[in-house]
Amino acid sequence: MSPGEVLVSFSHATVGYGAKAVVSDATFELHAGEIVGLVGPNAAGKSTLLRALTGGADVLGGDVMLAGTPLAALGSQERARLVGVVPQTPTATFAFTARAFVEMGRNPHLGRLQDLSAEDRAVAADVMELTDTARLADETIDKLSGGDLQRLTVAQALAQQPRVLLLDEATAHLDLNHSLQVLDLVRRLADSGMAVLGVFHDLDLAARFSDRIAIVAEGRVIEPVSPEKALDADVISRVFDVRAVVRPDPVTGAVSVTPIVRGADVARPSRGPVGVVCGSGTGAPLLRRLAVAGVRATCGALSEGDVDFAVGGALGADIVTLPPFGEIDETAEARVREAFAASAMCVVCGTPFGRANVGNLRAAVRSCTRLVLVGEMTAERDFSGGPATALWDEAIAAGAVRVSTDGEALEALLGMLDDEEKRDG
Amino acid sequence: MPLSAGSRARITLVSLAGALTLAVVAGVVFGAVRIPVEDVFGALWRALGGNGGGVGDAVIVDLRLPRVLLAALVGASLATAGVLYQALFRNALADPYILGVSSGAGLGATIALVAGGTSLLGRVVGVPLGAFVGALLTITLVVRLASRAGRLEATSLLLAGVAVSYTLAAVTSFIMVFARESMQAVVFWMMGGLTGASWPYVGMLSVMLAVGITAPLLLSRQLDLMLLGDERAGQLGLDVERFKLLALACASLMVAGAVSVSGLIGFVGLMTPHMVRLILGPNHRVLLPASALAGALVMVLSDLVARIVLAPVEIPVGIVTALAGGPFFVWLLVRKVRAR
């Protein structure tokens, strides 16, 4: 897709209120036909950037252009013909009908003393159809739900027939169905040439509907890039102070961000390491709790693409990396044994074992003196054709501690660490 | 909805106009002395024909009629100004009296009266001019005081209005103490309600009301936009600052006119728009004329009550409107608090 005409451009722009700068040195462009998402922590200046385009915030330095014209050279009506806004929390304290409310969006196209023409009313009726609000036309807006009002506000903004649409968390008040409806509509509008700049709090929604994402943090804007590049786990950790797993959503294919734990809650690892035999997400909850407790973890061998690989990676655990769907061969198992031998104790999570990963279990049972076993080794867990169950029984015979939940496992591990430290003096 | 919004508006406007006509006739008929209806029309007929009648005609044409018309004009001015303030500040509790604009106009008028003397020209041009300047300066001050970083809190607006109102009333009293020779004129005017009514005042106030209401009527669509809030109105292409200035000037002009002839009359500008809005909704194209008519009606009836309850003694009409409006204000406030 070739980029369309530049409709919005910030060039070394500083925006804020009065003398107070909120975002400095912002430089980016918004083209016809694309959706650019703005994400970032609260109070980073995302809404201020949008406001600067509608006169709600001041441009204190640099240049902001709308469709090739400096913002300051545009009158309020001209500006409103170019830019429509769907604000965060629309309020309706007065009893206008929904139709009258949407028709207010025609204001930028009307002379000061001019009244709505049949054409204006037709535009309003059209956008009410598009937003699925036509049936509300005769209701008074002070009686409507937040979701209905939000969609009417979308209709009002579309009635302006703008070339640029600004969304300030436009779907925050909408249920799943209507949120998809509005964003799909926005996608279609962008495909037909509208430029959309949207503030998103939901990173997954941002990734799914944006062509490019710009991160706004600490008064700066990072040049918008593709969602895959923008929503990098390291960037998220730095900007939001949240350890997250970033991987493509299996259904939408868009990048999906799963926050695991606040950075502030992850203690600098001061104890351990503890070996964690896991895989397929069976270790994720325990890995998270160990990280919070300040215990370093070493995960054995996991394949790229495994959930525990991603979680362990995000939390800084040591992992012997296997290729996707890779088996633990002798070399890998030797490295795992080495890692587990260096840890004071190992825990075996409720992981199912097959030929590919039984090596982790073997390494733990053979090289680790103190073991904690979670759950039972049942037929549903043993796909290895016997070896896993044999190793499990061997561990029990050697005096492994048995627990049934992650919580109990954590308690047992922390108790062992305490003993260890006491003994070491 | 059994009636379309359009026909509901038409019916309301026609009923209000009819009721106002009846009230005006009643206002001329009743008073310290009751005048038969046929005499009223006879006197009007003779006056229009240019033949001066007797003393009876003079009571009707030079005393009662201007007084009733003035009451109507004062009521219409205050109610229209109330509509404007309520729209600009999105606050159902805003009105010229509560925002302190009436007090400001009163101070301006007092200064003009003390400085400019009490000639007819002074009373018809100087006093309203002083009142207009006073009203404009006051609303500017009140909005300044109530704004925090560009945001206008509803509660602080009312608080600032009340505080400024008291202060300006005190300054007015202070001036009266010093300017002893004009004190009588000032006191007479401040308390006077509508007793000093005469045709020059009717003419003056008609002009001020006509000028003040025209722009808002023409720009009723923009007033509707203001109800969505300053920021949203701006996003929809309204030049909010300029529009506010214009609308505040219009409101101040009408308040100045009303205060110049009748002193401080409260609550008409609060009650009437609110009641009309309950019936007709917030659409300013009908809300403005309907409120003007309703304000006129309320004022003519209040003046009638003021003249006949203790006849031949007359009570100031401001007392009547305050007695009705004070409880109404409390009701609004309580309802608003409960709605939270």
Side-chain angles (χ1 to χ4, degrees):
Chain A
M1 195 180 73
S2 66
E5 180 191 350
V6 175
L7 287 182
V8 174
S9 86
F10 283 82
S11 135
H12 303 291
T14 300
V15 298
Y17 305 99
K20 189 175 161 256
V22 177
V23 177
S24 309
D25 200 22
T27 300
F28 68 94
E29 288 181 343
L30 179 67
H31 301 94
E34 72 168 344
I35 301 178
V36 169
L38 296 176
V39 305
N42 291 330
K46 305 181 295 289
S47 300
T48 307
L49 278 173
L50 295 193
R51 283 214 177 105
L53 293 171
T54 55
D58 307 314
V59 179
L60 305 173
D63 293 310
V64 180
M65 312 262 272
L66 262 179
T69 313
L71 199 56
L74 291 167
S76 46
Q77 276 204 308
E78 263 176 294
R79 190 183 62 212
R81 282 196 293 269
L82 288 170
V83 186
V85 192
V86 182
Q88 207 162 10
T89 41
T91 50
T93 42
F94 288 91
F96 288 110
T97 63
R99 182 184 290 112
F101 180 74
V102 173
E103 284 171 352
M104 288 181 187
R106 293 304 293 162
N107 179 63
H109 296 272
L110 295 171
R112 215 160 269 145
L113 304 181
Q114 202 181 355
D115 203 5
L116 291 160
S117 68
E119 248 169 90
D120 294 311
R121 289 182 203 281
V123 171
D126 280 352
V127 295
M128 290 184 84
E129 284 295 338
L130 275 180
T131 51
D132 192 22
T133 51
R135 69 198 157 75
L136 304 172
D138 293 312
E139 310 266 337
T140 55
I141 54 172
D142 56 336
K143 304 279 193 303
L144 294 178
S145 72
D148 285 340
L149 191 59
Q150 185 87 56
R151 282 179 302 133
L152 282 169
T153 308
V154 173
Q156 193 183 50
L158 294 182
Q160 293 171 247
Q161 296 180 310
R163 301 189 65 191
V164 178
L165 187 66
L166 308 179
L167 307 175
D168 196 351
E169 286 183 63
T171 57
H173 296 270
L174 298 180
D175 61 32
L176 274 181
N177 182 306
H178 285 129
S179 158
L180 275 188
Q181 182 201 17
V182 165
L183 290 172
D184 281 338
L185 171 62
V186 167
R187 180 74 261 173
R188 285 205 306 281
L189 292 167
D191 290 343
S192 62
M194 199 180 269
V196 180
L197 187 59
V199 169
F200 290 92
H201 259 307
D202 185 326
L203 298 181
D204 288 7
L205 273 187
R208 181 167 165 189
F209 287 95
S210 307
D211 298 306
R212 295 189 295 151
I213 287 181
I215 290 180
V216 185
E218 291 170 353
R220 301 275 162 174
V221 185
I222 301 170
E223 167 77 24
V225 287
S226 70
E228 294 74 26
K229 282 190 194 138
L231 298 179
D232 175 79
D234 289 340
V235 173
I236 288 167
S237 167
R238 203 171 64 235
V239 169
F240 291 98
D241 190 28
V242 162
R243 303 291 175 83
V245 170
V246 181
R247 47 204 327 246
D249 184 288
V251 181
T252 64
V255 168
S256 172
V257 177
T258 310
I260 304 170
V261 62
R262 290 176 354 119
D265 288 340
V266 180
R268 184 171 287 281
S270 59
R271 319 175 71 180
V274 166
V276 180
V277 176
C278 58
S280 312
T282 53
L286 187 60
L287 286 170
R288 181 180 178 278
R289 293 167 88 158
L290 285 171
V292 172
V295 179
R296 176 179 290 283
T298 176
C299 290
L302 292 170
S303 55
E304 281 176 313
D306 189 286
V307 175
D308 286 339
F309 178 86
V311 173
L315 294 172
D318 298 321
I319 301 171
V320 174
T321 306
L322 300 176
F325 305 106
E327 282 190 22
I328 305 177
D329 55 14
E330 278 179 27
T331 339
E333 192 176 327
R335 288 176 58 201
V336 174
R337 206 175 300 134
E338 203 175 303
F340 283 174
S343 1
M345 63 215 62
C346 282
V347 57
V348 181
C349 298
T351 321
F353 292 98
R355 264 187 39 184
N357 69 341
V358 76
N360 278 337
L361 182 61
R362 188 162 40 235
V365 173
R366 299 271 159 83
S367 62
C368 210
T369 44
R370 311 183 72 176
L371 271 175
V372 176
L373 305 179
V374 181
E376 304 286 339
M377 179 56 69
T378 56
E380 287 88 66
R381 257 179 85 179
D382 184 1
F383 298 96
S384 64
T389 306
L391 285 164
W392 187 266
D393 292 341
E394 189 182 327
I396 293 171
V401 178
R402 304 193 57 196
V403 298
S404 49
T405 64
D406 285 339
E408 289 168 11
L410 182 70
E411 215 172 295
L413 291 170
L414 293 177
M416 288 178 182
L417 283 168
D418 286 345
D419 291 348
E420 194 103 332
E421 280 155 9
K422 237 176 268 165
R423 210 182 44 211
D424 292 352
Chain B
M1 211 187 287
L3 281 177
S4 79
S7 49
R8 192 199 278 233
R10 234 167 289 133
I11 291 171
T12 311
L13 284 174
V14 170
S15 326
L16 280 172
L20 178 59
T21 314
L22 288 180
V24 167
V25 172
V28 178
V29 168
F30 296 104
V33 185
R34 202 194 139 179
I35 303 167
V37 180
E38 55 272 25
D39 287 10
V40 172
F41 288 108
L44 282 183
W45 183 250
R46 283 189 289 280
L48 284 175
N51 329 313
V55 180
D57 281 13
V59 169
I60 296 166
V61 175
D62 293 333
L63 292 179
R64 291 254 175 110
L65 192 57
R67 172 166 186 154
V68 173
L69 291 181
L70 206 58
L73 289 168
V74 166
S77 300
L78 292 175
T80 310
V83 172
L84 294 181
Y85 290 130
Q86 287 169 20
L88 295 179
F89 301 127
R90 282 174 304 291
N91 190 332
L93 298 176
D95 99 320
Y97 193 64
I98 287 160
L99 291 175
V101 183
S102 293
S103 298
L107 176 59
T110 304
I111 292 172
L113 206 59
V114 170
T118 51
S119 68
L120 185 63
L121 189 68
R123 299 285 322 241
V124 175
V125 178
V127 170
L129 193 66
F132 179 59
V133 173
L136 262 187
L137 290 178
T138 308
I139 192 66
T140 314
L141 176 68
V142 168
V143 170
R144 271 279 156 83
L145 286 177
S147 301
R148 284 270 170 293
R151 298 186 65 87
L152 197 57
E153 278 284 327
T155 330
S156 35
L157 182 70
L158 300 184
L159 286 178
V162 171
V164 167
S165 178
Y166 276 120
T167 313
L168 296 182
V171 176
T172 307
S173 307
F174 185 74
I175 292 174
M176 280 159 57
V177 172
F178 271 80
R180 276 175 185 282
E181 59 278 17
S182 14
M183 185 166 150
Q184 205 183 350
V186 175
V187 171
F188 185 74
W189 156 74
M190 288 257 285
M191 306 230 325
L194 295 157
T195 42
S198 67
W199 285 106
Y201 288 138
V202 174
M204 173 201 89
L205 197 49
S206 304
V207 172
M208 292 176 85
L209 174 62
V211 172
I213 202 173
T214 304
L217 272 179
L218 291 175
L219 301 175
S220 60
R221 213 166 41 73
Q222 284 84 337
L223 275 171
D224 289 350
L225 284 177
M226 284 303 297
L227 292 184
L228 302 183
D230 288 11
E231 182 166 14
R232 187 67 184 153
Q235 290 168 353
L236 293 174
L238 186 66
D239 187 342
V240 174
E241 291 313 312
R242 250 174 69 188
F243 182 76
K244 258 190 177 170
L245 211 61
L246 173 69
L248 284 179
C250 289
S252 302
L253 187 68
M254 290 182 282
V255 175
V259 170
S260 314
V261 298
S262 62
L264 306 191
I265 292 175
F267 300 108
V268 179
L270 172 77
M271 279 188 290
T272 359
H274 200 82
M275 288 190 297
V276 177
R277 200 180 286 117
L278 283 180
I279 301 169
L280 292 179
N283 183 349
H284 284 93
R285 183 190 303 253
V286 287
L287 181 60
L288 274 168
S291 296
L293 287 172
L297 178 64
V298 166
M299 206 53 204
V300 170
L301 293 178
S302 301
D303 182 50
L304 189 57
V305 171
R307 279 184 290 140
I308 59 179
V309 276
L310 293 179
V313 179
E314 217 179 80
I315 52 175
V317 67
I319 293 179
V320 178
T321 61
L323 279 179
F328 181 81
F329 183 77
V330 172
W331 172 74
L332 268 187
L333 205 62
V334 168
R335 226 175 57 134
K336 220 176 172 177
V337 170
R338 289 218 181 113
R340 269 179 201 165

